[in-house]
Amino acid sequence: MEPVTLRTERLLLRPLEPRDTDAVLAACQDPDIARWTPVPTPYHLEHAEEFVLRTSPAGWRDDTMYNFGVFTREGVLAGSMGLVRIGLLRSAERQAELGYWTAPDQRRRGYTAEAGRAVADWAFTALGVERLEWCAEVGNEGSRAVARRIGFVLEGVQRSKITHRGTRRDAWAAALLPSDLGRSTVTPYLPAPEHRTP
């Protein structure tokens, strides 16, 4: 996949570049990012260089992860967002997962939800995604709030889903479908009938 750039009213989403390394390094010093995401801890310059210079470009090149740096129009790094677990993207399932973190000084401004809606729209229209998933460790209220603002519908708790720092953890699971945004899919969707409990 050739890397793409997306724009929203307030944001520029683009592949990370070498000049972004210091901003990624600074953001990933945040204890909340270390607590809820699989970034190395402690997070050093070599980790930022690996992510910016090698991991992110390889994801685009090898179709394993489509990662964007999320920037304000003034060029400040607001976070990182991407489509991950895209192994089913080119199968009949047409699925991907949305992952993200937000720089601590850019939180509570709506940037991550705004970026997430742009990536979801791109995934549905340009890539033909028919189910976009989100998961986070149970307790990650910030990530769940963002997912809900994007439009994800919570589907439950997956037991022992995430391995984080050597421990298996339960995860909240949610999905966003094209139909949630008024879009159609190539594959017809037949929802289960509603069951009423007596």
Side-chain angles (χ1 to χ4, degrees):
M1 164 75 71
E2 281 297 316
V4 301
T5 297
L6 306 174
R7 288 177 175 79
T8 70
E9 183 179 336
R10 300 182 297 163
L11 302 169
L12 175 69
L13 285 71
R14 63 165 173 79
L16 292 166
E17 299 174 356
R19 62 186 165 132
D20 304 319
T21 303
D22 289 343
V24 170
L25 173 62
C28 289
Q29 301 309 305
D30 176 56
D32 283 337
I33 291 177
R35 167 63 185 91
W36 299 113
T37 69
V39 299
T41 182
Y43 197 87
H44 297 298
L45 177 60
E46 59 264 27
H47 300 126
E49 290 174 337
E50 177 66 29
F51 182 65
V52 172
L53 304 178
R54 290 177 281 287
T55 303
S56 290
W60 287 97
R61 184 185 63 242
D62 301 337
D63 292 315
T64 57
M65 172 181 71
Y66 303 146
N67 192 69
F68 298 92
V70 178
F71 297 88
T72 66
R73 290 298 174 114
E74 295 74 36
V76 176
L77 178 71
S80 175
M81 176 171 291
L83 295 181
V84 298
R85 302 182 198 278
I86 59 176
L88 295 177
L89 182 59
R90 287 170 181 78
S91 70
E93 283 78 11
R94 313 265 331 143
Q95 296 179 23
E97 181 180 322
L98 185 71
Y100 47 82
W101 54 255
T102 308
D105 58 343
Q106 301 299 315
R107 292 178 185 148
R108 295 177 183 79
R109 300 179 189 198
Y111 289 154
T112 308
E114 184 176 327
R117 285 188 291 271
V119 173
D121 187 62
W122 173 70
F124 292 149
T125 57
L127 302 179
V129 169
E130 295 188 347
R131 177 180 166 88
L132 188 58
E133 297 183 337
W134 164 88
C135 79
E137 184 182 331
V138 170
N140 190 345
E141 298 288 350
S143 185
R144 181 170 72 166
V146 168
R148 283 181 159 163
R149 282 195 295 275
I150 293 169
F152 281 86
V153 175
L154 292 175
E155 297 179 332
V157 173
Q158 295 178 317
R159 298 179 306 143
S160 191
K161 167 76 172 175
I162 295 172
T163 304
H164 187 67
R165 315 271 182 241
T167 305
R168 297 202 70 87
R169 317 280 177 106
D170 293 343
W172 283 319
L176 183 66
L177 307 179
S179 57
D180 295 331
L181 304 180
R183 298 186 178 281
S184 61
T185 58
V186 172
T187 309
Y189 172 38
L190 179 62
E194 288 190 31
H195 294 283
R196 295 185 182 169
T197 36

